[in-house]
Amino acid sequence: MDLEAFRSLPEWPLILRESWETNASWWQAGFTEGSDAEYEEQIKPIVRLGLRGAHRVLDLGGGDGQLARVLADDGADTVVLDSSHAQLTTARIRGSSAVLATGAALPFQNRSFDAVLICLVLEHVIELDEVLAEVARVLEAGGRFLLLLNHPILQTPGSGFIDDVELGEQYWRLGPYLREDIQMEEVDAQVFVPFVHRPLSQYVNRASDRGLTLVGMEEPAPPPGFVARADEYRQVQEYPRLLVLHFERRP
Ligand SMILES: C[S@@+](CC[C@H](N)C(=O)[O-])C[C@H]1O[C@@H](n2cnc3c(N)ncnc32)[C@H](O)[C@@H]1O
């Protein structure tokens, strides 16, 4: 569905909020506490390296707090903020300091943090500009903003590996990459997650408009633990599932 048309529905905030209340236990079982190879082998090391030396970190959309705890182990003072009560209940049980709020209205003073982390959240968020404005507001000048996304080029609706048995070929079919839209994707049996698709330039340019300058970018190959699970796709290592953007708050 077209993103602007979805945003004109009065019930859209409820639809998005409810989806994470419903899906929190699915997420926690499949992606936290060591259950997911991509988090263990790739995301946690990238976050640790990208925010090394940070003192006060906001993990926005932090879910059960698994990444905040990695940074806390390295000595940072961390806060997990999420709009899902179910995620934060687990975050607190697992030892994180947690705040229930939306990323579009952060309950923190200006320049409260020297780093903000957002991992696999903005592709579920409609209010991109509001969230980026809030990130810029709560960051001190020179502060780091580390953004991890499902790579937009792979997450484009209608994309995926095609197995052409007749030609003996496998290739990646790319859907309408430039069209911004939202889809409820069935990511597991009876698990529906709202996915917002935007081209990469939207993230970079709209962050820049808010005072966040891109200073680095990574497109890592999938880690061995993921490749082992997808061994029917010969070229899986040549397609980056993850996009990592490093921004700095301009003074
Ligand atoms: C895929 S999970 C990622 C959790 C965590 N960042 C991680 O990497 O383990 C997405 C999280 O974003 C949260 N979320 C979605 N929209 C949000 C919003 N507008 N404000 C705050 N959190 C939001 C959801 O509740 C969910 O916990």
Side-chain angles (χ1 to χ4, degrees), residues 149-176:
L149 296 164
N150 288 294
H151 202 303
I153 206 152
L154 266 84
Q155 195 228 305
T156 303
S159 303
F161 274 109
I162 300 291
D163 219 341
D164 190 327
V165 184
E166 256 176 44
L167 290 178
E169 265 184 20
Q170 281 179 335
Y171 60 90
W172 185 263
R173 178 178 63 197
L174 179 61

Side-chain angles (χ1 to χ4, degrees), residues 25 65 129:
S25 55
D129 290 315

Side-chain angles (χ1 to χ4, degrees), residues 27-55:
W27 173 261
Q28 290 163 18
F31 297 92
T32 71
E33 297 272 87
S35 56
D36 180 66
E38 284 179 292
Y39 268 93
E40 299 310 308
E41 297 173 22
Q42 188 159 68
I43 293 176
K44 286 182 180 177
I46 285 174
V47 166
R48 186 167 239 158
L49 195 63
L51 294 182
R52 189 160 53 188
H55 296 294

